[in-house]
């Protein structure tokens, strides 16, 4: 009886391997790429790519085990949720929305809420030092100032 159940489970697990979620691996650069809204210095871009892009861009670097069911679905959900909240590849929407996203970027980076803890267990390269966090925070705050100046300039032209 137990043997039959185990074999049954094994078969289900094997079949499940063939059901894969869509991969998130388009080019990160689109018409709405973050750099088209605000400047991003290379040093900051390098940090965003290594610590944030896996969940907040259109391009994830998948590790080998990411194709294994159910890991793939778990990652898929994280990525979809991350992109839904913030996507540097598609940084669009109203002025207010962009300002809020940048503010939250600074805030969550400061509070060590991002990158999320479970991700850091595996991705050691995404563990940011305080100096690296500060680079991201300062960038996000400056980017907000820049956006505000742009919007004032646009308003005064009209
Ligand atoms: C492993 C995936 C993952 C990584 C890596 C990651 N995030 Fe997130 N992020 C999420 C998920 C999932 C959410 C939505 C749920 C939540 O808020 O916890 C989120 C939410 C956010 C939000 C909130 C947006 C909103 O409007 O609610 C910001 C800002 C953010 N992340 C910034 C960052 C930054 C900056 C980095 C890199 C330093 C980063 N994240 C790295 C998965 C990730």
């Amino acid at each position: 009886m137990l043997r039959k159940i185990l074999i049954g489970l094994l078969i289900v697990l094997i079949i499940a391997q063939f059901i894969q979620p869509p991969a998130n691996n388009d080019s990160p650069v689109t018409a709405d790429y973050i750099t088209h809204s605000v400047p991003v210095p290379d040093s900051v871009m390098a940090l965003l790519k290594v610590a944030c892009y896996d969940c907040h861009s259109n391009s994830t670097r998948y590790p080998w085990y990411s194709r294994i069911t159910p890991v793939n679905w778990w990652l898929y959900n994280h990525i979809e949720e991350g992109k839904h909240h913030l996507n540097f590849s598609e940084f669009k929407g109203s002025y207010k929305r962009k300002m809020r996203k940048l503010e939250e970027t600074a805030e969550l980076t400061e509070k060590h809420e991002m990158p999320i803890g479970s991700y850091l267990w595996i991705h050691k390269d995404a563990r940011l030092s305080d100096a690296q966090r500060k680079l991201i925070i300062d960038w996000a705050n400056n980017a907000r100032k820049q956006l505000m100046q742009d919007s004032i300039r646009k308003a005064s032209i009209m």
Side-chain angles (χ1 to χ4, degrees):
M1 184 60 185
L2 183 65
R3 221 177 105 97
K4 277 201 180 135
I5 292 173
L6 285 178
I7 290 173
L9 276 179
L10 193 66
I11 290 171
V12 168
L13 207 65
I14 290 169
I15 292 171
Q17 301 310 314
F18 292 98
I19 307 166
Q20 292 282 339
N24 183 44
N25 54 16
D26 291 337
S27 163
V29 181
T30 71
D32 294 308
Y33 197 43
I34 179 77
T35 57
H36 301 165
S37 285
V38 288
V40 186
D42 289 347
S43 55
V44 173
M45 182 55 89
L47 293 176
L48 296 181
K49 278 189 176 159
V50 78
C52 318
Y53 267 39
D54 278 350
C55 305
H56 294 296
S57 82
N58 288 349
S59 177
T60 301
R61 299 157 302 159
Y62 285 99
W64 63 267
Y65 52 80
S66 68
R67 291 277 118 202
I68 302 168
T69 305
V71 179
N72 50 4
W73 289 100
W74 187 75
L75 290 178
Y76 173 74
N77 282 329
H78 260 87
I79 294 165
E80 284 302 300
E81 206 196 329
K83 277 171 67 175
H84 172 73
H85 284 265
L86 173 69
N87 186 345
F88 289 119
S89 295
E90 291 167 35
F91 194 74
K92 54 189 176 186
S94 65
Y95 163 74
K96 257 174 113 173
R97 182 178 189 275
K98 288 181 179 177
M99 290 292 272
R100 197 174 62 239
K101 295 297 164 187
L102 287 166
E103 188 177 0
E104 281 167 359
T105 293
E107 198 180 310
L108 297 188
T109 303
E110 172 122 53
K111 287 187 182 159
H112 288 235
E113 282 178 30
M114 290 288 151
I116 51 181
S118 57
Y119 176 79
L120 295 178
W121 296 340
I122 301 159
H123 295 86
K124 295 204 171 66
D125 55 345
R127 290 181 193 170
L128 302 173
S129 66
D130 286 347
Q132 289 172 323
R133 284 190 189 269
K134 190 168 183 306
L135 264 180
I136 295 179
I137 296 162
D138 289 348
W139 163 72
N141 288 334
N142 281 330
R144 286 174 63 223
K145 279 186 206 137
Q146 181 101 28
L147 263 186
M148 197 193 292
Q149 279 160 7
D150 287 351
S151 85
I152 292 169
R153 202 168 35 241
K154 266 184 215 146
S156 62
I157 290 169
M158 285 194 297

